[in-house]
Amino acid sequence: MKKARIGIFGGTFNPIHAGHMRAAEIVQRKFLLDKILFIPSYIPPHKESVDMASPSDRLKMVELACAPYSRFIPSPIEIEAQEKSYSIITLEKIEKMYPETWLFFILGIDAFLEIETWKEYEELLKRCSFIVVSRQGYRLQEAKNVLEGPYKEKMYEFPESGEREEDLFSSYRIFLLPIDSLNIASTEIRRRARKGLSLKGLVLESVEVYIAENRLYQSQNG
Ligand code: ATP
Ligand code: MG
């Protein structure tokens, strides 16, 4: 039987937006992933502010955004841990939940450029594959400068176009995937919400409604 493939897509998701969904859709198709787990990170309550929505609001928005997609699964795994989660710990939990599965970490190039600051990142690289997608304002090529040694050789850069090459998948560890990304960031969405500007096209409609109804990211709550 073919080994199942699961993507792990973590983030603050404050809030989840169309750029996240676009990236996930492309990665799911390209790597034939059976599902993608969307994992909002836990941020301790003392960091909550106008700018940082509560874990439950961020999770709820992830649930709303994933609802139209059968392969996109919201996961409360980090939020339920109620403490700052390191990716390596999350990975260990997911490995237990899905044994004998090929796991792929999905992240944008901006996040990958900081990988050396992650706890036990080399262990993480050993244990799962990475799919790094392009993001406007960053050069995908720069991924090659952050790692030294064996993992440099384990990087595969997809050409701008071209078909999926199945046999490559097991020879490489880190995939650099140029995508037609949307130039959207949560920071900009929060700024627009604060000013009362429309979020149409930037987030899914259900998420836009949730933000408005719950008055997220607005200076006067209530
Ligand atoms: P913020 O502006 O608050 O940092 P963000 O838009 O960067 O928010 P995050 O929750 O920080 O969103 O990102 C989660 C993951 O999604 C990261 O790996 C990030 O690189 C990736 N990502 C975010 N926005 C995009 C986008 N528009 N295109 C591709 N990847 C993205
Ligand atoms: Mg970010």
Side-chain angles (χ1 to χ4, degrees):
M1 208 179 78
K2 209 178 116 245
K3 221 176 176 186
R5 298 178 180 182
I6 294 186
I8 302 173
F9 193 15
T12 324
F13 296 129
N14 182 38
I16 190 162
H17 56 64
H20 296 127
M21 305 321 279
R22 161 75 66 94
E25 282 173 31
I26 295 172
V27 167
Q28 189 274 321
R29 281 200 301 270
K30 186 101 188 166
F31 288 81
L32 301 176
L33 301 181
D34 296 288
K35 40 182 149 176
I36 297 182
L37 307 177
F38 283 68
I39 310 185
S41 54
Y42 177 74
I43 310 276
H46 66 261
K47 292 215 172 150
E48 278 174 32
S49 63
V50 161
D51 222 36
M52 179 56 70
S54 70
S56 62
D57 282 332
R58 289 182 292 111
L59 177 62
K60 185 71 203 169
M61 291 188 282
V62 167
E63 287 169 357
L64 291 169
C66 289
Y69 300 87
S70 59
R71 293 182 189 274
F72 293 0
I73 316 292
S75 169
I77 185 170
E78 290 197 356
I79 281 177
E80 282 177 354
Q82 300 266 321
E83 59 185 10
K84 184 175 160 27
S85 307
Y86 295 102
S87 299
I88 187 76
I89 307 284
T90 301
L91 177 71
E92 277 164 6
K93 290 182 185 166
I94 294 174
E95 281 173 341
K96 289 205 182 89
M97 291 160 70
Y98 302 98
E100 295 304 307
T101 303
W102 194 353
L103 300 174
F104 294 82
F105 244 87
I106 302 165
L107 70 178
I109 177 67
D110 57 311
F112 185 80
L113 291 177
E114 294 181 352
I115 191 161
E116 284 174 308
T117 66
W118 297 14
K119 185 180 155 91
E120 294 180 50
Y121 75 96
E122 284 178 319
E123 185 60 27
L124 211 56
L125 286 164
K126 242 182 248 164
R127 302 221 326 228
C128 65
S129 299
F130 275 68
I131 302 169
V132 185
V133 298
S134 53
R135 208 176 163 179
Q136 279 159 65
Y138 297 85
R139 288 181 48 247
L140 205 49
Q141 303 281 339
E142 275 173 35
K144 299 193 167 153
N145 303 330
V146 293
L147 295 178
E148 286 304 323
Y151 290 107
K152 236 186 161 98
E153 276 75 65
K154 286 278 176 198
M155 259 187 206
Y156 175 74
E157 190 181 1
F158 277 90
E160 286 291 339
S161 63
E163 281 309 295
R164 181 169 46 78
E165 293 155 85
E166 193 69 18
D167 43 330
L168 284 173
F169 284 16
S170 39
S171 336
Y172 291 91
R173 227 339 114 87
I174 302 165
F175 300 93
L176 306 182
L177 182 65
I179 60 166
D180 186 12
S181 66
L182 298 177
N183 193 8
I184 301 177
S186 302
T187 305
E188 172 66 8
I189 292 166
R190 295 192 298 271
R191 194 189 64 82
R192 291 184 66 91
R194 199 154 51 238
K195 291 188 162 178
L197 298 171
S198 164
L199 305 181
K200 209 163 283 307
L202 300 174
V203 297
L204 248 78
E205 205 177 313
S206 53
V207 172
E208 185 183 4
V209 168
Y210 188 90
I211 291 173
E213 282 181 351
N214 293 279
R215 298 173 173 271
L216 301 185
Y217 313 122
Q218 291 171 25
S219 26
Q220 312 115 287
N221 281 307

